[in-house]
């Protein structure tokens, strides 16, 4: 289960190690039949808890160093604030803020003068074509052109004092150049006199340049400054065209240690297409294009067993947590049940009309869900081999399937770019999600939240269950065909692409904190750098990827990384795409 362990290096698990050694000594033969499995599970749990505690201790030390450094920076900033600012620093305050601010979600103070100029320019740009209209003359013409005997329209009620918004008051404070008569001496040369009016941003009190109009560049009056600050305090309730853009409230991502490759396993003779972990975390199984299923030791990476029986590529695997069974599906239209106590096939499930691409086990019921190229997700009774449902509705290959204990109990993704949530009681579609524009080849459910993610060539999207409510896209695009995704309990999601790209995401914020490229083994083509399947182990501390260069690669977190050595590279999105 683990590499050779030294009790001195694991003081918290010394008793569990001694118990396992004693069990192996007392039951030298029966240990091969699972007599010491309980002791192994206890040791594995102890080692996981010890590693989690050590990781939390390292992270706390790193956070303390970060807090000390932050405190020193604040002290230096407070000391520097007493000195008068240099003219150049004042002129470039906004750029300096963007470069050296520690809080990217906040914004620097707004200048009232610049806000007034900006608003005046927007109004002029928006309404310049309508400045020559006179409301009084238009109303008189409307009354004159009305039919005889018709009652004149009732005058509009006057606005109540204080009923205007802060934005309206600011607009009223912007002076307008007096309109010139058409053809008069004051008409602008080369332009219509009626359209010569111009909006002036603001004018200093008691001053006016040549032409009788206040020019920009002065200081706004006290009343104008109050109106500007009232608009700044207005949280977007006014016009969208001129309202102030608020700072993004996107959640800041949590810090995660970067992942590194530490083991490469070779043994398959074809593409490695599928993977499944044993619930005890002692071993994992992989299915390949060489038509075999191989079982590997999780701790050492050594080959334990090879199973043969399929006559085509093995595209899906699942190990039951409640029975000593493993299930596999293949492009030969077969779904097989393997007895792990005798290492042979005990059941075959017939019904698919073409190759089977994905497989999932129901967590609480004895049901198997399989999807394939016949555009159907089939639900099987594990014991009787009968087909319970044929969930039809997709118009193309069903490439991914999820099963969960609560509604919707079955979720499928297809090459028709849709995701369907199924009602398992009635065998009908509960909801159809059409947010993707490309094939949906990967689905991954969060281990604790009631959410899931879907991956396609266009983007990775996050949804909330049970209704399938769309939450958001991931903040970056992997720009590859996403073949597989997995999420661990620490909020780290990994996605593998057909071009060999392996991206690690923070689940809460959707930010990609690490991007990696797999390296093909010697003798392989660069085009074989593709990831077909990946999965975290039971503890979530190891990631296993199955690749097109016929290898299995194992990844783990870098224990030496700290927030100082690997800071978060994150900028909150300004306009997140809805779809």
């Amino acid at each position: 289960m683990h590499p050779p362990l030294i009790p001195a290096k694991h003081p918290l698990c010394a008793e569990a190690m001694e118990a396992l050694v004693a069990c192996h000594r007392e039951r030298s033969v029966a240990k091969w039949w699972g007599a010491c499995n309980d002791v192994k599970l206890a040791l594995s749990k102890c080692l996981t808890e010890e590693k989690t505690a050590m990781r939390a201790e390292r992270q706390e030390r790193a956070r303390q160093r970060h807090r000390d450094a932050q405190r020193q920076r604040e002290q230096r900033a407070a000391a520097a604030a007493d000195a008068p600012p240099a003219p150049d620093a004042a002129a470039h305050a906004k750029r300096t803020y963007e470069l050296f601010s520690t809080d990217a979600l906040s914004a620097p103070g707004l200048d009232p003068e610049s806000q007034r100029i900006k608003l005046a320019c927007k109004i002029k740009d928006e309404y310049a074509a309508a400045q020559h209209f006179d409301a009084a003359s238009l109303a008189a013409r409307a009354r004159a052109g009305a039919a005889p005997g018709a009652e004149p329209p009732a005058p509009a009620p006057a606005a109540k004092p204080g009923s205007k918004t802060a934005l309206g008051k600011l607009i009223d404070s912007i002076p307008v150049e007096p309109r010139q008569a058409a053809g008069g001496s004051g008409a602008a040369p080369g332009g219509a006199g009626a359209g010569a009016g111009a909006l002036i941003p603001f004018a200093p009190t008691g001053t006016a340049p040549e032409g009788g109009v206040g020019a920009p560049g002065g200081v706004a009056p006290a009343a104008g400054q109050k109106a500007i600050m009232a608009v700044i305090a207005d949280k977007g309730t006014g016009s969208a065209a001129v309202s102030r853009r608020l700072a993004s409230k996107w959640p800041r991502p949590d810090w995660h240690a970067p992942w590194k490759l530490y083991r490469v396993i070779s043994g398959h003779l074809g593409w490695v297409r599928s993977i499944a972990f044993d619930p005890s975390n002692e071993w994992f199984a992989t299915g390949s294009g060489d038509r075999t299923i191989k079982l590997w030791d999780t701790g050492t990476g050594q080959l334990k067993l090879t199973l043969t029986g399929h006559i085509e590529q093995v595209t899906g695997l699942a190990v039951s947590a409640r029975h000593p069974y493993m299930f596999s599906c293949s492009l030969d239209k077969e779904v097989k049940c393997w007895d792990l106590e005798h290492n042979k096939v005990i059941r075959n499930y017939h019904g698919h009309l073409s190759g089977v691409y994905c497989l999932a086990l129901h967590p609480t019921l004895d049901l198997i869900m399989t999807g394939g190229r016949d555009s159907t997700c089939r639900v099987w009774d594990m014991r009787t081999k009968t087909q319970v449902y044929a969930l039809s509705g997709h118009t193309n290959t069903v490439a991914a399937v999820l099963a969960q204990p609560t509604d919707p109990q079955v979720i499928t993704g297809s090459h028709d770019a849709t995701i369907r949530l199924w009602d398992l009681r009635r065998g009908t579609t509960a909801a159809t999600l059409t947010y993707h524009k490309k094939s949906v080849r990967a689905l991954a459910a969060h281990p604790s939240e009631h959410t899931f993610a879907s991956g396609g060539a266009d983007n990775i999207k996050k949804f909330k269950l049970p209704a399938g409510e769309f939450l958001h896209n991931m903040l970056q695009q992997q720009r590859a065909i996403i073949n597989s995704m997995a999420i661990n309990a620490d909020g780290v999601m990994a996605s593998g692409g057909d071009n060999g790209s392996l991206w690690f995401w923070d689940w809460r914020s959707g930010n990609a904190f690490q991007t990696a490229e797999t390296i093909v083994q010697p003798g392989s083509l660069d085009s074989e750098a593709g990831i077909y399947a990946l999965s975290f182990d039971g503890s979530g501390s190891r990631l296993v990827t199955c690749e097109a260069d016929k290898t299995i690669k194992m990844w783990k977190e870098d224990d030496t990384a700290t927030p100082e050595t690997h800071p978060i590279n994150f900028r909150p999105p300004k306009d997140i795409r809805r779809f």
Side-chain angles (χ1 to χ4, degrees), residues 452-476:
F452 76 97
S454 62
D458 52 351
N459 213 326
I460 298 176
K461 301 177 184 292
K462 191 160 73 171
F463 299 91
K464 182 180 180 181
L465 295 173
E469 176 186 353
F470 176 75
L471 295 178
H472 63 85
N473 290 326
M474 293 298 166
L475 299 187
Q476 294 86 14

Side-chain angles (χ1 to χ4, degrees), residues 244-387:
R244 183 173 65 92
R245 299 297 187 266
L246 299 178
S248 175
K249 301 300 181 183
W250 201 264
R252 190 166 182 83
D254 299 327
W255 183 84
H256 300 283
W259 293 67
K260 63 180 181 179
L261 177 68
Y262 74 97
R263 179 178 293 146
V264 179
I265 303 173
S266 298
H268 279 293
L269 302 179
W271 296 346
V272 188
R273 296 289 304 271
S274 55
I275 183 173
F277 270 89
D278 173 42
S280 67
N281 209 33
E282 184 178 354
W283 52 268
F284 65 92
T286 55
S288 170
D290 61 6
R291 303 168 294 179
T292 64
I293 302 172
K294 292 182 181 290
L295 276 59
W296 311 86
D297 188 273
T298 304
T300 62
Q302 297 296 322
L303 179 64
K304 301 180 68 172
L305 185 66
T306 300
L307 301 175
T308 59
H310 284 288
I311 59 175
E312 261 293 352
Q313 299 182 34
V314 182
T315 54
L317 290 172
V319 182
S320 175
R322 303 185 299 120
H323 306 285
Y325 299 152
M326 179 177 68
F327 298 87
S328 63
C329 63
S330 170
L331 297 183
D332 58 6
K333 314 177 191 178
E334 293 285 340
V335 180
K336 296 180 181 292
C337 176
W338 301 80
D339 188 340
L340 296 178
E341 293 181 348
H342 300 89
N343 299 329
K344 65 179 183 179
V345 178
I346 59 174
R347 298 187 186 100
N348 286 284
Y349 303 87
H350 300 281
H352 274 286
L353 306 179
S354 189
V356 189
Y357 278 67
C358 54
L359 179 146
L361 298 181
H362 197 284
T364 56
L365 304 177
D366 291 339
L367 296 177
I368 315 166
M369 275 66 72
T370 58
R373 203 160 52 203
D374 55 5
S375 308
T376 304
C377 176
R378 301 181 187 271
V379 182
W380 309 88
D381 188 308
M382 184 185 301
R383 297 163 296 179
T384 63
K385 302 184 292 183
T386 58
Q387 179 179 294

Side-chain angles (χ1 to χ4, degrees), residues 61-67 69 255 561-567:
R61 289 199 300 266
R63 293 191 189 98
Q64 184 61 38
R65 291 195 300 269
H66 183 68
R67 286 193 291 266
W255 183 84
T562 63
E564 286 77 15
T565 59
H566 295 79

Side-chain angles (χ1 to χ4, degrees), residues 500-512:
S501 60
L502 178 62
W503 286 35
F504 295 91
W505 309 80
D506 175 65
W507 174 257
R508 178 168 168 265
S509 65
N511 180 60

